[in-house]
Amino acid sequence: QEQVVESGGGLVQPGGSLRLSCQYSGSISNIGLMAWARQGPGKRRDLVASITDNGSTDYAEQAKGRFIITRDSAKKTAYLQMNNLKPEDTGVYYCRVHERLPGLTVGPPEWGQGTQVTVSS
C-alpha cells in the first residue's frame, strides 16, 4: 500500500505553472522533513526543494525564484508550486518523507512513485 502519493503533474507549455501535491498516509506521526526531487530522462534523481517541520526551506539553484515549497503538517501534505516552467524542468517528480527523530535528526526516506511533469510547446 502506497504511503507517499504524488499528484498534480502533467503537460504544460514553457512559462506555465503547475502545483504538485504530496500526501503521506503512513504511520509516521511526526514528519520532520518533506522534499521533492526530480529525475530527468537518463539522469539521476536530484533534490529540487525541501521543507522542515519548523518551516525552513531549501532550494536547488535552478528552482530558486520560480518554485515554492509549502506544507500542511496537519494534513501530512507538501506542495510544490512551480512557476515559469522550462523544458529542462521536465522529469518525474518524487516526494520523500522523513520522520523526525530525537537529537534534531531524521529517519530514512520514504519515497512515492512519482508524478510526470513535461514542459513542452
Side-chain angles (χ1 to χ4, degrees):
Q1 184 177 359
E2 296 179 353
Q3 300 186 122
V4 181
V5 179
E6 303 95 335
S7 62
L11 173 64
V12 63
Q13 293 186 342
S17 297
L18 282 176
R19 188 190 193 213
L20 306 183
S21 297
C22 169
Q23 173 73 54
Y24 178 76
S25 61
S27 62
I28 297 175
S29 59
N30 189 9
I31 297 175
L33 182 76
M34 301 184 80
W36 289 95
R38 177 181 65 239
Q39 188 164 17
K43 298 182 179 180
R44 67 180 186 185
R45 191 177 300 184
D46 289 327
L47 178 68
V48 174
S50 64
I51 185 167
T52 67
D53 43 358
N54 67 4
S56 296
T57 58
D58 189 31
Y59 295 92
E61 194 61 37
Q62 66 268 26
K64 292 179 180 178
R66 298 189 298 127
F67 295 2
I68 301 172
I69 187 170
T70 57
R71 66 187 277 178
D72 184 332
S73 295
K75 295 181 179 179
K76 296 185 178 181
T77 300
Y79 306 94
L80 185 67
Q81 177 67 43
M82 305 188 295
N83 302 316
N84 190 22
L85 282 161
K86 304 176 181 180
E88 52 263 42
D89 296 319
T90 294
V92 179
Y93 283 70
Y94 296 90
C95 178
R96 71 172 200 255
V97 175
H98 300 257
E99 181 180 14
R100 168 62 67 194
L101 300 177
L104 298 179
T105 62
V106 294
E110 293 190 35
W111 289 95
Q113 295 299 308
T115 184
Q116 175 70 44
V117 171
T118 302
V119 185
S120 175
S121 56

